[in-house]
Amino acid sequence: MSSTELPSVPAANVLPRVAAVRVAEGERLRSVGLPGMTLTVRSRPPAREGLPPALFVHGLGGSSQNWSALMQQLEGDVDGEAVDLPGFGDSPPPDDGDYSITAHARAVIRCLDASDRGPVHLFGNSLGGAVATRVAAVRPDLVRTLTLVSPALPELRVQRTAVPTGLLAVPGVTALFTRLTRQWTAEQRVRGVMQLCYGDPGRVTPEGFRHAVEEMERRLQLPYFWDAMTRSARGLVNAYTLGGQHALWRQAERVLAPTLLVYGGRDQLVGYRMCHKAARSFRDSRLVTLPEAGHVAMMEYPEMVARAFRDLVAEAGESPVAGHTVRAGVTRSASKGEAVSENAGS
């Protein structure tokens, strides 16, 4: 094995014991065994029986915990579940070591098929947005609406602040980075992540920061943590180079489900300028921009994302939602912290 190759990781059944994943009040975790993988699914019981199902897919380096705030906001609207992709959160690595976008999409599809919950309201953030786009394109029967928060779709001119994350895909860079940052504390790592992902890191509460540090400490004990990060980053970069019917923008054009696009004006990882290309590419789309948000609007402004989702559902005619309507073709200016909503349907 060359020095640039990633080391192999232990099989899931011989992984070391680490601290338990945090489960917020009102949430539940369950393990789902599927061909070639085991997934952890986080759920929040709906406020009442009969609500439509939803599935939430996190981004690179994230987990199902990234959706806890939005799931709580929407507990009266959907029967929500959030999945930990293979190698992330509390899900062990996949048996085949495949972290490509296609493999992650396959995991989501297998999860939905096994649960027999589809079609669902499908949510995705960042890498999870690329995964959700592929799922919606190849299995339209599983998706009733699609909500993408800062989806990681190909960009010709990547922001400078996003370059270090993309460099994880380069052989040898992860090993170098881990050596250079060996002395960093979990607190330092979390502050760096929040500076990169939040429009205003000051919105994170002391309790939220403490929980993030505890999760970082847990992840750093996992022998496959950097392997999953690196291979997923490589899978995303590889997906950017695909042409033909497998190209992500081509697949975006194939999505039939009503689509909500949420972009943050302070996003340092996904270019804000990409929002209009996305609105043109998804055939039945609504665009919401949050000027003060960063890369994880569902964590910074969960109430606004929830409101925009209810608007999408009401307009799409999925179910009656009192007090939330969208008028086609209306665009309004936003004051600080507000959203700009545009109907960009074909």
Side-chain angles (χ1 to χ4, degrees), residues 54-272:
L55 185 69
F56 302 81
V57 186
H58 64 80
L60 181 66
S63 76
S64 58
Q65 294 184 63
N66 295 162
W67 297 103
S68 290
L70 184 60
M71 288 173 69
Q72 185 172 13
Q73 287 283 328
L74 293 176
E75 63 184 355
D77 304 279
V78 299
D79 182 356
E81 293 187 345
V83 63
D84 285 330
L85 293 173
F88 292 94
D90 204 35
S91 293
D95 291 352
D96 60 5
D98 189 350
Y99 289 97
S100 65
I101 296 296
T102 296
H104 284 315
R106 187 184 306 124
V108 172
I109 290 170
R110 286 179 179 173
C111 183
L112 287 172
D113 280 339
S115 67
D116 198 28
R117 298 178 80 238
V120 300
H121 294 293
L122 184 61
F123 292 72
N125 168 238
S126 192
L127 174 141
V131 171
T133 297
R134 181 153 292 176
V135 171
V138 302
R139 287 292 303 273
D141 58 304
L142 293 178
V143 183
R144 60 176 68 194
T145 69
L146 180 64
T147 297
L148 304 176
V149 181
S150 295
L153 299 174
E155 300 182 42
L156 291 177
R157 292 169 47 218
V158 178
Q159 298 182 99
R160 283 180 296 176
T161 47
V163 169
T165 302
L167 286 176
L168 286 176
V170 178
V173 169
T174 299
L176 175 63
F177 180 76
T178 53
R179 286 200 301 271
L180 293 175
T181 63
R182 187 173 290 117
Q183 302 304 316
W184 288 12
T185 65
E187 288 88 348
Q188 289 174 308
R189 295 175 189 273
V190 168
R191 290 191 191 281
V193 170
M194 289 182 172
Q195 287 289 338
L196 184 64
C197 292
Y198 279 73
D200 177 12
R203 292 181 64 86
V204 181
T205 65
E207 181 184 38
F209 181 79
R210 177 169 54 82
H211 290 155
V213 170
E214 291 171 355
E215 174 61 12
M216 179 63 73
E217 291 173 338
R218 188 193 71 83
R219 292 183 187 185
L220 290 172
Q221 296 178 56
L222 298 171
Y224 57 83
F225 171 71
W226 286 112
D227 184 72
M229 284 284 291
T230 302
R231 294 184 190 273
S232 289
R234 189 174 299 166
L236 184 59
V237 171
N238 288 343
Y240 280 19
T241 66
L242 290 177
Q245 63 179 347
H246 299 295
L248 284 170
W249 284 116
R250 181 72 61 84
Q251 292 193 319
E253 295 170 355
R254 290 169 51 192
V255 172
L256 301 177
T259 301
L260 171 65
L261 301 164
V262 181
Y263 281 78
R266 294 184 175 181
D267 195 331
Q268 299 182 68
L269 292 171
V270 168
Y272 177 77

Side-chain angles (χ1 to χ4, degrees), residues 272 289-292 331-341:
Y272 177 77
T289 60
L290 300 173
E292 303 299 312
T331 302
R332 65 182 179 84
S333 299
S335 59
K336 186 174 182 179
E338 276 196 306
V340 175
S341 180

